[in-house]
Amino acid sequence: MPRYDLIAATRGAREFDLAILNANLVNVFTCEVYPADIGIFEGRIALVAPAGVEHLEARQVIDGTGKWAAPGFIDSHVHIESSMVTPPPFAEAVVPMGTTAVVIDPHEIGNVFGRAGIRYMLDTSEGLPLRVLVTISSCVPAAEGIETAGAAFHAEDIREMLGWPRVVGIAEVMDFPAVISGAPRMVEILEVGIEANTAIQGHSPQVRGRALNAYLAAGIHSDHETVDPAEMHEKLQLGMLPFVRSGSFRSVGQAIPDMLNSLPFMEVALCTDDIFPADLLARGHMDRVIREMIAGGVMPALAYRAASLNAARHYGFRDLGGIAPGYVADLVLLSDLEDVRASVVIANGRIVARDGALLQPAPRPAGNLPARNSVIIPDLTPESFHMPAPITEGEIAVNAIRVLHNRYIDLETITLRVENGHIDYASLPENVCISVVIPRHGQAAAASFAPVTEINILHGAMASTVAHDSHNLIVVGRNPEDMLLAARTLKACGG
């Protein structure tokens, strides 16, 4: 947009499209909150002034008395696929909560459909009231040589996709052992990001000391996996930007807000990473992360800054994430500052949501995926689900995956009985099931087995092809016939 008309509107020579009067401005540049008037013209902020100082002529006026005006929330790292919907319904859910931009990593669909999956997420997010920015998945598969996925991205693939529209960086580099050891594939992918001068997201849980230095020396900029304050402090000291995460796998807690309050120059951005559908609808999206930060004692304006300006600057957007002249007019009017309740949501200068509801359904842009069933598995029999053992008869101590109530896992050692060279399912303790991972992308790889505790299935079986990060077919049960039925059902329906 030529700036002549915007400048004229700022001067008062043109009428604003929209004016917000007497709102409490959450100024994320100075972390002050004060009454202000805001003029919007052709999708951008044209004027911000102390309330009542300037006369604003506008075609539409919102009385902001008793409300707070904050920049639209930016999720600095999220996988839309975890919410089990495509981008349009995701936008319909999160925009009324105040989210106006998301930086997505589509590596879940990328691990199944490769480039076509990334392209699909771009195509189906075009023209939404939600600004969908894309980072190109660095780990397809997530761990080369360990996982088998439906595609493999190498440096040349990443280089090409970085040129696609709305692509803003390289997504979380999950295979941190490969980076630290200097494995060629990962280092070459990082070199492509460095050459493009783009943001490179990290993923480095519990990486400290010399290993962390090596990881950062490779060119990585951020991390959303840190929960330990000492680990976060070290990463901050070494120049990394933490993304404080609150989603279905983790809440902010108290340690991070305490640390943020103790280090006055500490900068963080906020993200959700993965939110399941019912959880999103019940607890919110970015509003939940801000709410938890404030509940932990973080100054509200600082929490809103972390949810907007810090993310925008990290990805190189000079006109996003704040309410200031020339900035994109993405903003939220809140009825409650600390409880983070969006009353009016404005995207690109247009009112798109009021009182928790989108004013118009999000458009459904077309996107193409390969027209095939992606659950490509071999013919299975009940014997396919018999867990082999290294002895023929007797008892054996094995490692088991213990499922914790907070959705994390741990390892424990249990004793199981073996008959005819396989684990005897009939004698399994009540709290033990057997999990089987079957490659579903047509690979020749063999199935993998592991005992699982605390799932407590006594009859039947569970199966899913939503299985981070390569999304192979995983079946859990205690009876091979039931497990076979579950696997065949998923194959028949497409996953």
Side-chain angles (χ1 to χ4, degrees), residues 46-303:
L47 177 72
V48 181
V53 170
E54 302 289 345
H55 178 68
L56 278 64
E57 291 284 348
R59 286 190 283 275
Q60 185 176 5
V61 176
I62 296 176
D63 181 4
T65 303
K67 292 183 171 57
W68 290 262
F73 312 148
I74 302 174
D75 191 337
S76 56
H77 173 73
V78 62
H79 307 283
I80 288 180
E81 301 98 310
S82 290
S83 299
M84 309 298 174
V85 291
T86 57
F90 182 81
E92 290 175 341
V94 303
V95 169
M97 299 172 182
T99 302
T100 56
V102 292
V103 181
I104 70 168
D105 172 8
H107 79 202
E108 314 301 350
I109 196 169
N111 268 287
V112 177
F113 286 113
R115 289 189 187 201
I118 309 295
R119 187 81 248 181
Y120 175 84
M121 297 299 280
L122 274 164
D123 291 345
T124 56
S125 60
E126 185 70 43
L128 301 179
L130 178 70
R131 192 180 309 276
V132 179
L133 307 168
V134 176
T135 51
I136 298 301
S137 308
S138 65
C139 290
V140 178
E144 190 176 33
I146 298 174
E147 291 188 306
T148 53
F153 290 170
H154 297 277
E156 288 309 308
D157 302 294
I158 303 291
R159 178 177 283 110
E160 178 184 334
M161 288 185 281
L162 283 176
W164 291 358
R166 288 186 283 120
V167 169
V168 299
I170 293 178
E172 57 177 316
V173 181
M174 302 175 66
D175 195 357
F176 57 86
V179 174
I180 294 164
S181 66
R185 171 177 169 262
M186 286 312 308
V187 173
E188 289 165 8
I189 285 172
L190 293 171
E191 289 286 359
V192 167
I194 293 166
E195 291 168 12
N197 193 29
T198 194
I200 304 175
Q201 297 177 349
H203 174 116
S204 54
Q206 300 179 10
V207 178
R208 307 283 299 274
R210 196 153 194 159
L212 177 60
N213 276 263
Y215 188 69
L216 290 168
I220 292 161
H221 303 125
S222 65
D223 180 81
H224 63 275
E225 289 292 335
T226 306
V227 292
D228 177 71
E231 179 188 342
M232 181 173 283
H233 194 180
E234 183 180 356
K235 288 176 175 177
L236 282 161
Q237 288 177 326
L238 294 176
M240 203 175 215
L241 176 69
F243 293 166
V244 176
R245 178 175 98 183
S246 181
S248 293
F249 291 104
R250 181 180 300 163
S251 293
V252 167
Q254 190 59 52
I256 302 307
D258 284 348
M259 189 176 183
L260 193 61
N261 289 328
S262 67
L263 294 175
F265 298 106
M266 173 177 162
E267 289 273 73
V268 301
L270 306 184
C271 77
T272 61
D273 197 10
D274 298 280
I275 300 190
F276 302 145
D279 190 22
L280 191 156
L281 295 175
R283 297 176 56 217
H285 185 237
M286 285 298 293
D287 54 319
R288 106 172 42 190
V289 195
I290 302 167
R291 191 157 47 246
E292 290 178 6
M293 293 284 282
I294 294 171
V298 174
M299 182 173 67
L302 196 59

Side-chain angles (χ1 to χ4, degrees), residues 388-391 393-399 413-418 423:
I391 62 174
E393 303 285 341
E395 290 189 338
I396 187 171
V398 298
N399 288 326
T413 301
I414 62 175
T415 300
L416 298 179
R417 180 158 186 78
V418 177
I423 298 298

